[in-house]
Amino acid sequence: MPDTATSFDIMADDSRDRREQIVELLKKAYWMEIETVMSYISNSVNPDGVRAQEIKESLEADIQEELGHAQQFAARIKELYGVVPGSMEFAAEQSYLQPPDHQVDIVHVIKGVIEAEQGAIEFYSRVIDETDGIDPVTQDMMIAILHDEQGHKRLFEGFLREYEAEGLA
Ligand SMILES: [Fe+2]
Ligand SMILES: [Fe+2]
């Protein structure tokens, strides 16, 4: 059988090294989603004020979507003969999405969400590159999830623009 990129089988015994590399990328993506769920829960509850309401509702809806992403990554780790990590392996990174000093500081939340979505966009784009011609199923899943994150980022950029237009950001 010719050894071409299109005939590469990520599930094959001799694809083990490539598979394990992809599983490591998926574990990182999984933790990013889990941390985003934590951050979006707190930021969908903490903010005060009339104007915060829209942001809180938007984040509340996103929680389910990000949780769904985490579950998709977990399922793909398992399919690739990996093990979904336990909570003891978790290490937090989203310093920018911690509660602000004042709960009316909604701009802090909006900027934090944009940073989290941008981080996901950059990392998932890298996974899309690294799975190209090697694991089209993971790549396909990543493309769909990247699309979701782009939508989230764009929405929050719109929120930020409104505050900027009013000189509040
Ligand atoms: Fe996500
Ligand atoms: Fe997102």
Side-chain angles (χ1 to χ4, degrees):
M1 208 169 127
D3 186 32
T4 63
T6 48
S7 69
F8 191 84
D9 176 10
I10 195 65
M11 305 293 278
D13 281 349
D14 56 8
S15 302
R16 186 189 200 121
D17 288 353
R18 300 309 283 273
R19 197 164 57 233
E20 285 174 354
Q21 282 170 12
I22 293 169
V23 165
E24 287 311 306
L25 296 171
L26 287 168
K27 284 183 187 174
K28 181 173 164 59
Y30 171 76
W31 287 130
M32 288 171 82
E33 296 291 346
I34 296 285
E35 187 172 15
T36 297
V37 168
M38 287 194 270
S39 294
Y40 287 7
I41 288 174
S42 59
N43 286 294
S44 71
V45 173
N46 284 333
D48 283 321
V50 178
R51 309 190 64 172
Q53 206 55 35
E54 193 80 29
I55 307 296
K56 288 164 75 174
E57 282 169 19
S58 180
L59 284 174
E60 207 179 318
D62 279 354
I63 293 165
Q64 301 307 321
E65 208 168 330
E66 309 296 10
L67 185 60
H69 295 162
Q71 289 176 299
Q72 287 184 68
F73 291 148
R76 188 62 185 155
I77 288 168
K78 178 73 174 173
E79 282 170 354
L80 293 176
Y81 303 109
V83 177
V84 183
S87 58
M88 293 297 285
E89 282 185 46
F90 176 71
E93 291 181 354
Q94 293 179 349
S95 54
Y96 46 86
L97 265 174
Q98 303 310 298
D101 294 336
H102 302 287
Q103 301 313 315
V104 289
D105 185 1
I106 200 68
V107 170
H108 168 90
V109 175
I110 296 169
K111 286 182 174 172
V113 170
I114 292 170
E115 192 165 343
E117 297 295 344
Q118 182 58 30
I121 287 167
E122 285 169 18
F123 186 63
Y124 299 170
S125 298
R126 192 188 130 195
V127 177
I128 289 164
D129 279 349
E130 293 200 21
T131 50
D132 193 47
I134 293 168
D135 181 356
V137 174
T138 297
Q139 188 184 43
D140 206 49
M141 176 187 71
M142 274 296 177
I143 290 168
I145 293 175
L146 175 64
H147 190 187
D148 290 342
E149 312 303 12
Q150 288 175 344
H152 297 158
K153 183 186 173 212
R154 183 64 189 90
L155 181 67
F156 277 75
E157 281 178 344
F159 291 144
L160 185 62
R161 229 153 260 167
E162 185 183 313
Y163 283 83
E164 283 169 347
E166 295 169 20
L168 298 169

